[in-house]
Amino acid sequence: MKLRLNIEELNEDFFEDTRLLGITAPLKNYQFCLQLNHLLGYDFRVNPGIEVHLKKKDRSYYFTVYESKEPNSFLTHYLYHNQFDGEYLLPEFRHMDFLWLMKGDWVDDEKCSWIKQSVKNLNGVQLVAELTNEQIKNKGNMVF
């Protein structure tokens, strides 16, 4: 008997009860994280254990993932850099520089709106938009 891994189901599970923002901000990762940490009170730090590694055409691409845990909650915020060396983590969102995933606990509309508005007001941020699961074609690229 062969067991088959259902990747689509895994991806759906990973994205269950998550919210995802796409952010256009032509800033360096560390500059953007510094602003989020200092001005919005997050604690984004690079987590090398969940860095995303993609192989395309015999080349390796590494997408940095920053992590910030919410105190007294299961909620964790993950900030992905969407671009590395000309490749995109989510090619369907080439215009987005960062992807902000909220996972582990439900984020209500009010909190999501507050985050969107606060990020929009940061220096260098041009666009913040919520992305729906249906819009994401390459979900598997974000799963760690």
Side-chain angles (χ1 to χ4, degrees), residues 2-83:
K2 274 189 183 174
L3 287 178
R4 227 190 169 137
L5 196 57
N6 185 335
I7 300 297
E8 216 151 280
E9 212 171 278
L10 273 177
N11 292 348
E12 290 307 317
D13 285 352
F14 182 85
F15 283 96
E16 199 174 332
D17 288 340
T18 61
R19 306 256 342 220
L20 181 66
L21 302 177
I23 301 163
T24 304
L27 300 165
K28 300 265 183 233
N29 298 3
Y30 66 88
Q31 291 173 320
F32 187 51
C33 285
L34 268 174
Q35 284 198 71
L36 293 174
N37 292 348
H38 288 292
L39 302 174
L40 303 185
Y42 287 96
D43 187 27
F44 278 104
R45 292 164 191 263
V46 100
N47 183 339
I50 57 175
E51 178 180 71
V52 179
H53 174 217
L54 293 183
K55 261 182 123 54
K56 286 185 180 178
K57 301 180 206 111
D58 294 332
R59 288 195 57 198
S60 289
Y61 299 93
Y62 301 92
F63 298 90
T64 309
V65 183
Y66 294 81
E67 183 178 32
S68 177
K69 293 187 187 307
E70 195 123 323
N72 311 316
S73 154
F74 292 110
L75 183 62
T76 304
H77 300 271
Y78 298 98
L79 190 69
Y80 297 74
H81 197 210
N82 192 31
Q83 203 251 343

Side-chain angles (χ1 to χ4, degrees), residues 81-99:
H81 197 210
N82 192 31
Q83 203 251 343
F84 178 87
D85 205 18
E87 267 307 322
Y88 295 89
L89 185 64
L90 295 183
E92 60 270 36
F93 296 110
R94 285 174 186 274
H95 59 292
M96 301 291 187
D97 297 298
F98 297 97
L99 303 161

